[in-house]
């Protein structure tokens, strides 16, 4: 999952369609991350019911059926089915041989290529930083957003998970609409708008900034603000902004090997999802959640300003 899937699509579709197809494959991954909590709850419930029926039957004892193991067996079964489909002789691999990376250039062309290496390094660095910022911040948000609801709104974990799943459905819809969005906006504009919506979500999560919006019905207003913030982050900002970053990065690599660079891209994002939550946890412990949201909003705001100022250079990188 991740870099391998994206490399497959990046090398099999025309360059101008990469963002569309990367949006589609990301939609499937995003659905697995958020929307399938519905399916997970159903499997957990089914596992509990099956456990009650089979716990006294010695024939089922070796399976150790429980809500957790039943879900694990279902995932294992799905993985085996996917492997059988991929290994099937009838599976159609639509990446033709001529799409494979071309051999390295020699002679005068090699000199011209070497002169572009500095620019290429800059593009890679910028793409990695955009990925680190967006994925790292959403990694913090996954923890703090749920904690906010459970502590300040007295919501249960199940109710909070349901809201996240519904927001994920909206995010998947946006990801599947990238072809239509691409007719209205270019990749750089999608990155800009996605990050702007993420900033709005972080601002709404800061209670010091939303206090003037609260009326006499404190609970209802707080819930409405939190729900708006969740929709902004999971339903619009992150799926649109981050997927546009992936598409921009893939196009900026032009004819260079997609697998290698998308692998580095994915690894940087995974590292950010580890480092950012750890750093935000220390900040929340010694200060408070509002300080964390303020810091994350500041990071994204600086990123947005840089993108706006140098937006033409970002467009030139994928021209």
């Amino acid at each position: 999952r991740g870099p391998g899937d994206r490399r497959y699509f990046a090398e099999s579709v025309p360059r101008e369609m990469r963002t569309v197809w990367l949006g589609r494959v990301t939609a499937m991954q995003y659905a697995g991350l958020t929307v399938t909590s519905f399916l997970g709850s159903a499997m957990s419930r089914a596992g509990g019911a099956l456990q009650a029926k089979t716990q006294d039957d010695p024939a089922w004892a070796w399976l150790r059926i429980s809500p957790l193991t039943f879900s694990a067996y279902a995932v294992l079964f799905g993985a085996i089915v996917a492997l059988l489909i991929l290994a099937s002789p009838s599976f159609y691999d639509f990446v033709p041989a001529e799409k494979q990376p071309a051999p390295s250039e020699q002679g005068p062309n090699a000199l011209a290529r070497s002169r572009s290496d500095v620019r290429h390094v800059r593009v890679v660095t910028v793409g990695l930083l955009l990925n680190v910022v967006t994925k790292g911040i959403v990694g913090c948000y996954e923890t703090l957003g749920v904690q906010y609801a459970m502590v300040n709104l007295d919501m249960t974990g199940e109710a909070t998970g349901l809201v996240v799943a519904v927001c994920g459905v909206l995010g998947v819809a946006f990801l599947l609409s990238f072809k239509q969005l691409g007719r209205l906006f270019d990749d750089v504009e999608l990155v800009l708008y996605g990050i702007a919506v993420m900033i709005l979500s972080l601002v709404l999560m800061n209670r010091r900034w939303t206090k003037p919006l609260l009326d006499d019905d404190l609970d209802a207003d707080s819930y409405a603000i939190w729900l708006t913030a969740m929709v902004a982050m999971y339903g619009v900002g992150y799926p649109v902004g981050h997927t546009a970053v992936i598409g921009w990065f893939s196009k900026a690599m032009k004819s260079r090997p997609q697998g290698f660079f998308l692998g580095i891209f994915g690894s940087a994002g995974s590292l950010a999802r580890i480092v950012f939550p750890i750093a935000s946890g220390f900040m929340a412990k010694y200060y408070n959640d509002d300080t964390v949201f303020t810091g994350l909003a500041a990071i994204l705001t600086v990123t947005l300003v840089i993108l706006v100022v140098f937006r033409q250079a970002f467009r030139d990188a994928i021209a």
Side-chain angles (χ1 to χ4, degrees):
R1 193 190 75 82
D5 299 340
R6 290 166 184 157
R7 175 200 178 224
Y8 182 84
F9 284 94
E11 293 184 350
S12 63
V13 299
R15 183 168 170 266
E16 63 274 11
M17 290 293 292
R18 282 181 190 172
T19 302
V20 173
W21 280 96
L22 288 171
R24 291 173 181 173
V25 70
T26 303
M28 300 300 102
Q29 296 169 351
Y30 195 64
L33 178 66
T34 57
V35 181
T36 50
S37 55
F38 289 122
L39 182 59
S41 298
M43 287 192 294
S44 180
R45 184 180 292 273
L50 187 60
Q51 181 184 26
K53 290 182 179 180
T54 61
Q55 60 185 354
D56 297 325
D57 188 347
W60 292 84
W62 64 279
L63 283 174
R64 299 180 180 273
I65 296 293
S66 71
L68 292 177
T69 58
F70 184 83
S71 301
Y73 291 144
V75 173
L76 178 62
F77 176 75
I80 292 174
V81 170
L83 286 173
L84 291 175
I85 292 174
L86 290 172
S88 172
S90 61
F91 177 72
Y92 175 60
D93 184 354
F94 63 89
V95 183
E98 59 268 21
K99 291 281 187 179
Q100 301 302 319
S104 58
E105 299 177 357
Q106 302 294 331
N109 289 336
L111 179 59
R113 193 180 186 93
S114 67
R115 289 175 178 172
S116 69
D117 283 348
V118 174
R119 177 178 172 275
H120 175 62
V121 169
R122 284 199 218 112
V123 169
V124 171
T125 303
V126 169
L128 293 179
L129 288 176
L130 285 172
N131 185 36
V132 165
V133 168
T134 52
K135 293 206 79 168
I137 286 176
V138 85
C140 300
Y141 201 93
E142 287 172 354
T143 302
L144 295 175
V146 171
Q147 178 183 319
Y148 181 100
M150 298 177 71
V151 173
N152 298 303
L153 303 176
D154 295 325
M155 293 178 63
T156 63
E158 293 79 6
T160 306
L162 179 63
V163 171
V164 173
V166 172
C167 293
V169 172
L170 178 60
V172 169
F174 268 105
L175 290 170
L176 293 176
S177 304
F178 254 70
K179 187 172 184 179
Q180 288 71 30
L181 289 175
R183 294 170 181 166
L184 300 174
F185 313 105
D186 60 32
D187 287 354
V188 177
E189 289 173 331
L190 288 174
V191 174
L192 288 172
Y193 299 146
I195 290 179
V197 175
M198 290 176 70
I199 294 172
L200 172 63
S201 177
L202 291 166
V203 169
L204 290 174
M205 292 294 286
N206 191 318
R207 287 167 295 180
R208 289 179 297 189
W209 294 344
T210 56
K211 196 173 183 179
L213 301 176
L214 300 178
D215 206 341
D216 294 335
D217 195 349
L218 182 62
D219 292 340
D221 288 345
S222 297
Y223 178 76
I225 291 172
W226 174 81
L227 183 60
T228 303
M230 297 298 284
V231 171
M233 179 63 75
Y234 290 118
V236 183
Y238 174 71
V240 171
H242 183 255
T243 304
V245 169
I246 299 172
W248 177 88
F249 185 80
S250 178
K251 289 179 181 178
M253 294 302 98
K254 295 184 167 55
S255 61
R256 291 178 171 86
Q258 295 289 314
F260 174 72
F261 289 108
L262 287 176
I264 296 176
F265 188 88
S267 299
S270 298
L271 182 62
R273 290 179 73 95
I274 296 172
V275 174
F276 269 66
I278 292 175
S280 66
F282 280 108
M283 188 177 293
K285 179 180 179 181
Y286 291 108
Y287 297 97
N288 52 54
D289 289 352
D290 289 343
T291 303
V292 176
F293 288 124
T294 301
L296 297 178
I299 293 172
L300 275 182
T301 301
V302 171
T303 303
L304 183 64
V305 170
I306 293 173
L307 284 168
V308 170
V309 173
F310 296 101
R311 60 186 179 279
Q312 189 55 49
F314 280 89
R315 290 191 176 103
D316 292 342
I318 58 175

